[in-house]
Amino acid sequence: MDMTSRAGKEARVAMEIAIDDFNTKTQKNVTLYTRNSKGKVVQAINGAINLIDTYKVEALLGLQTLEEVVSVGEISSDARIPTFSLLDSVPQWALDRFPFLVQASPSQFSQMKAFVAIMESCGWTRFSFIYEDINSASIQVIPHLMEAIKETGVVGLGSFFPDTGSQFHDFSTKFRTKFKIEQREEENNMPGIFAVQAYDATWIAALTLSVKNMSEQTFLEISLAGVGGEVQLVNKKPAALHVFHIINVVGKYYRQLGFWSDGLGFSEVINDRATYNIVLQNLGHIFWTGRPMHTPRGWAIPIRVKPLRVGVPTMAMFKKFVEVKYDHRHHSNTCTGYSIELFKETVRRLPYYMPYEFHSFTGTYDSLVEQVYLKNFDAVVGDVSVVSWRYEYAEFTHPYTETGLVMCYTTSLTSMLTVRSLIPKVTDCETLRSSNAVVGYDRGSQVASYLVNVLGFKHENIRSFPSPEEYAHALGKKEIAAVFLVAPYAKLFVTMYCKRFIAAGTAFGKGGLHL
């Protein structure tokens, strides 16, 4: 046994009690020899060889890791010494290969069914279990992960064994007295699942040794009333556990919610009066991480200690998409608009809880996107168009509006009398460029670069405007010949001034708005 671990310490004390109880009740004289493997396979092998060769032991008990099971199992089988493993998941191939190897602890496989039951009850349809199967994971990553988990409102499963019967009460009294004397550094003296399983496994081993003409068939069918309940050894394995505690861990403390039973479901108690249900929430209030009063919808992302910092532009041309207003009463900014509502609804539909907070940003859209790269914001929400150079700083969602850049020309009320008159005099960029016409665009957007670098307009012939009203005024006064807007803006602009301006030509290939 690894007697430097809590499991090993519990198991050793439980084994010593089991041997005393067995000798008293059966009038036998079984002797227990212990060796501390300290969790090292080499020491486990050396300890097994020493016990077999020097002390002529008739059985071995312990082996809590697969490496120990395989190594010692081969040695003991060659010596025809029964070996009882406390590993609860000894592979079937190992049991077949080593005829004197026995799994003495019940399998925890049903625990996975309990996890599935919890996920189904909470409406979680899938989860990801990610780990790195290298030494650094167990040495460096996992300890830190476990410490982080200790600090979070978690629901888990604990092995269940009846702790109200007279047999367990007698064992518990002996264990607490002995454990307190031998393991003074341990604060908790109560026997756990490791102690219970070690006690019952020792009885199985001792019973096997008491049978005359022992062979491989001897320990294929063994049954006894153990302190952890009825133990039945079938095909060199105990029957699997079928009942588990549902535990709600809150900070450094935990509370027992109830039980889960294989084939029955969740219940508050385990007795003849138990009422079973497939819904976990029927066990009572559960404290969850993040929003304690609400069941999370999954953990597809790491739990965030701080809310998501979301940047929102203040220079948006069309306020129906995004608008930032300062609330003098609460001394905070209020963000509204189609883009904001779309983001909120997207977050609401996520299968997990994700807190966020909006932060206003005054500056160009290019600079706004760059803030994600600079880690000043975790995300940006607003009327942000996707252009190639912005990919250097952030990734974009799928467009949630039409794509393209549209040209909003002047027309008059009288010219709308016939269909023909709706056709503008200028229908393409070439005409605008050749006539040296001045065109407009919305201030702060990336349209200026597109007009110059792609469509070929001169810098001096493009002019920015901060609002739709100023567009309309400039077009009406013929200060500009046309204005270029992204498709969703163009629709809003034409809707606002349907009697004065129209859109013309085909849309230029530009990305739509993104989160």
Side-chain angles (χ1 to χ4, degrees):
M1 300 289 300
D2 177 11
M3 297 172 191
T4 62
S5 67
R6 172 74 190 200
K9 292 175 182 178
E10 283 195 25
R12 175 179 177 173
V13 172
M15 289 176 182
E16 293 172 350
I17 296 173
I19 290 296
D20 291 340
D21 289 347
F22 181 82
N23 289 337
T24 300
K25 295 178 181 179
T26 64
Q27 301 299 310
K28 301 290 184 180
N29 187 25
V30 178
T31 304
L32 179 69
Y33 297 94
T34 59
R35 292 291 182 272
N36 186 1
S37 68
K38 298 182 179 179
K40 299 179 180 179
V41 178
V42 173
Q43 289 194 217
I45 293 174
N46 291 335
I49 293 175
N50 175 260
L51 290 170
I52 293 173
D53 294 343
T54 303
Y55 292 88
K56 309 299 180 183
V57 297
E58 298 178 76
L60 294 176
L61 176 62
L63 311 180
Q64 293 177 297
T65 69
L66 181 59
E67 292 81 0
E68 292 176 346
V69 168
V70 174
S71 301
V72 178
E74 184 171 10
I75 294 172
S76 61
S77 289
D78 289 342
R80 302 183 65 80
I81 299 294
T83 299
F84 298 85
S85 170
L86 294 180
L87 179 65
D88 62 13
S89 55
V90 177
Q92 187 60 46
W93 63 263
L95 296 175
D96 295 338
R97 180 177 177 182
F98 307 126
F100 283 80
L101 176 64
V102 179
Q103 177 180 312
S105 293
S107 172
Q108 301 285 327
F109 174 74
S110 293
Q111 196 174 58
M112 297 302 102
K113 293 183 180 180
F115 275 122
V116 172
I118 290 176
M119 288 191 292
E120 289 179 342
S121 176
C122 294
W124 304 336
T125 57
R126 56 183 174 180
F127 73 97
S128 297
F129 179 66
I130 303 173
Y131 69 97
E132 195 172 20
D133 192 16
I134 59 176
N135 290 335
S136 63
S138 59
I139 296 174
Q140 301 174 11
V141 179
I142 294 180
H144 294 300
L145 175 63
M146 296 308 296
E147 287 301 316
I149 290 176
K150 289 178 183 178
E151 299 175 1
T152 57
V154 177
V155 173
L157 297 164
S159 299
F160 168 76
F161 53 87
D163 55 3
T164 56
S166 59
Q167 187 175 0
F168 178 82
H169 180 73
D170 179 64
F171 165 71
S172 178
T173 302
K174 294 177 181 177
F175 180 90
R176 282 180 288 159
T177 301
K178 190 175 181 64
F179 196 82
K180 185 175 182 179
I181 296 174
E182 296 186 7
Q183 309 294 338
R184 297 181 182 273
E185 72 282 3
E186 296 287 340
E187 296 181 3
N188 180 15
N189 298 321
M190 290 298 294
I193 187 65
F194 301 112
V196 171
Q197 292 180 348
Y199 182 94
D200 290 345
T202 304
W203 265 83
I204 291 175
L207 281 174
T208 302
L209 294 181
S210 66
V211 178
K212 294 182 179 180
N213 301 321
M214 182 177 59
S215 67
E216 180 184 349
Q217 296 297 320
T218 304
F219 40 76
L220 287 181
E221 303 289 340
I222 293 179
S223 180
L224 76 150
V227 294
E230 189 70 22
V231 178
Q232 187 174 8
L233 203 67
V234 180
N235 294 328
K236 301 201 293 181
K237 279 188 177 184
L241 295 178
H242 295 286
V243 180
F244 297 93
H245 280 295
I246 304 297
I247 303 297
N248 188 188
V249 180
V250 184
K252 295 182 179 179
Y253 306 96
Y254 72 90
R255 51 195 286 265
Q256 180 177 301
L257 295 174
F259 304 88
W260 178 85
S261 303
D262 190 11
L264 297 174
F266 300 101
S267 64
E268 294 183 358
V269 296
I270 297 293
N271 54 39
D272 295 337
R273 294 172 295 177
T275 301
Y276 295 93
N277 199 292
I278 62 172
V279 180
L280 171 66
Q281 287 77 1
N282 281 3
L283 297 182
H285 177 68
I286 302 174
F287 292 93
W288 296 100
T289 301
R291 294 186 297 179
M293 302 300 292
H294 301 273
T295 301
R297 286 166 285 179
W299 302 108
I301 62 171
I303 302 171
R304 295 183 60 87
V305 177
K306 297 181 180 180
L308 201 72
R309 289 178 55 86
V310 180
V312 180
T314 61
M315 75 294 291
M317 175 70 65
F318 290 87
K319 306 305 181 185
K320 289 186 179 294
F321 279 97
V322 59
E323 182 176 17
V324 179
K325 290 183 179 179
Y326 184 74
D327 187 339
H328 293 278
R329 181 179 179 183
H330 298 94
H331 302 288
S332 62
N333 288 322
T334 301
C335 300
T336 59
Y338 178 74
S339 299
I340 300 297
E341 295 306 314
L342 180 64
F343 172 78
K344 290 180 178 179
E345 181 64 17
T346 301
V347 172
R348 190 185 70 80
R349 297 193 180 199
L350 290 176
Y352 49 83
Y353 172 61
M354 187 181 74
Y356 62 86
E357 56 186 23
F358 293 125
H359 294 267
S360 61
F361 181 83
T362 302
T364 66
Y365 281 80
D366 284 341
S367 180
L368 173 61
V369 175
E370 189 179 8
Q371 300 308 304
V372 177
Y373 175 78
L374 297 175
K375 300 188 184 301
N376 294 325
F377 293 141
D378 298 305
V380 167
V381 171
D383 52 345
V384 183
S385 296
V386 56
V387 288
S388 59
W389 58 84
R390 289 180 181 169
Y391 274 112
E392 299 178 18
Y393 304 111
E395 295 182 0
F396 292 85
T397 63
H398 188 77
Y400 59 87
T401 65
E402 293 180 75
T403 62
L405 194 66
V406 177
M407 286 192 292
C408 292
Y409 285 88
T410 305
T411 185
S412 64
L413 181 61
T414 55
S415 68
M416 296 180 67
L417 296 178
T418 63
V419 174
R420 179 175 297 180
S421 64
L422 288 176
I423 302 176
K425 296 180 180 179
V426 182
T427 59
D428 55 43
C429 290
E430 184 61 38
T431 304
L432 290 171
R433 284 197 305 266
S434 61
S435 63
N436 216 29
V438 178
V439 297
Y441 68 96
D442 57 312
R443 182 174 298 172
S445 73
Q446 84 297 338
V447 175
S449 299
Y450 191 86
L451 291 175
V452 174
N453 298 327
V454 179
L455 299 184
F457 285 93
K458 298 177 181 178
H459 277 286
E460 59 269 23
N461 286 344
I462 62 173
R463 190 175 303 171
S464 65
F465 295 90
S467 68
E469 292 76 16
E470 294 196 31
Y471 284 149
H473 180 78
L475 284 170
K477 294 293 185 178
K478 298 186 179 180
E479 295 175 4
I480 55 176
V483 65
F484 287 82
L485 298 172
V486 291
Y489 287 175
K491 279 192 172 183
L492 278 178
F493 186 75
V494 172
T495 300
M496 294 170 62
Y497 300 100
C498 60
K499 295 183 178 181
R500 297 177 58 192
F501 309 107
I502 60 173
T506 57
F508 300 95
K510 286 192 55 60
L513 303 186
H514 298 248
L515 295 177

